[in-house]
Amino acid sequence: MPKKTLADTLAARETIYVNCAHPMCCKSTKLDIQALIDRLGRDHGSMHDDLVGLFICSNCKAAGRDRRQVFFTTKASSGRAIATGSQLSNEGAESGRRHLGGALG
């Protein structure tokens, strides 16, 4: 199966949201796909496994909550949900990941 890239996502005018999986938070942030392309390159994957290691929730970090893996939802330009990223375990959560507060800022 061909890998879906950030360029493919931008061309399809899809929107990706990164969501905190912590039940006390559940913050959701719309990603700036062009900013991700500028930072990671057009050929970087845009699927859950390609992006999950890049984000942590800044709200949970500030509140001192344990880190939970983030998950992604994607919407087509029509606004209809087309996919939901799978939620993974908390293994591998590292402080060097980006925060939900902004797209790889």
Side-chain angles (χ1 to χ4, degrees), residues 8-41:
D8 296 333
T9 300
L10 184 66
R13 295 180 31 181
E14 294 171 352
T15 303
I16 299 176
Y17 293 87
V18 59
N19 307 283
C20 178
H22 198 290
M24 298 294 289
C25 181
C26 301
K27 180 178 180 177
S28 180
T29 301
K30 179 180 173 181
L31 296 181
D32 182 338
I33 303 301
Q34 185 59 58
L36 287 171
I37 289 172
D38 294 344
R39 177 76 184 246
L40 302 171

Side-chain angles (χ1 to χ4, degrees), residues 70-91:
V70 298
F71 65 98
F72 300 87
T73 52
T74 305
K75 293 185 181 177
S77 59
S78 66
R80 143 182 99 77
I82 57 173
T84 301
S86 61
Q87 182 177 333
L88 301 177
S89 71
N90 193 31
E91 271 185 56

